[in-house]
Every structure is written in C-alpha cells, then in structure tokens.
Amino acid sequence: MAKGDIDTYPQDDQWKNRPEGNQRASSVHDTKAEAEATGQEIAKTATPST
C-alpha cells in the first residue's frame, strides 16, 4: 500500500478502516458505503501535501 492508504474490510458483521501501518481499525461502520466514505476522508488527512 502507498503511504496514506486505508484498508476497508469486513469483520464481525461490521466494516472497518485501518490506515497503513496500524494494527487496529481506526473506525467501525455498519455499512460498506459509510466505511468507504470515512476511509476516503481519513486518506485525505493522512496524505502529506506536496
């Protein structure tokens, strides 16, 4: 994964987001759409501006 990538994955009937390098999920959601939207926002803030 590139720096700032977010892994969105299902686990235990929930959708989770885990930023690259983290061992634990940073957010948990009921739907894939919610998780993807949050993951995109996390990725925007995690990616350094150049």
Side-chain angles (χ1 to χ4, degrees), residues 2-21:
K3 186 148 182 96
D5 279 356
I6 307 298
D7 183 21
T8 300
Y9 60 97
Q11 184 180 36
D12 300 328
D13 295 324
Q14 296 177 315
W15 285 88
K16 300 182 178 188
N17 289 317
R18 178 177 53 224
E20 176 191 22

Side-chain angles (χ1 to χ4, degrees), residues 7-39:
D7 183 21
T8 300
Y9 60 97
Q11 184 180 36
D12 300 328
D13 295 324
Q14 296 177 315
W15 285 88
K16 300 182 178 188
N17 289 317
R18 178 177 53 224
E20 176 191 22
N22 286 13
Q23 293 182 348
R24 299 179 65 185
S26 62
S27 63
V28 180
H29 306 275
D30 291 327
T31 67
K32 182 178 181 180
E34 290 173 350
E36 288 175 336
T38 301

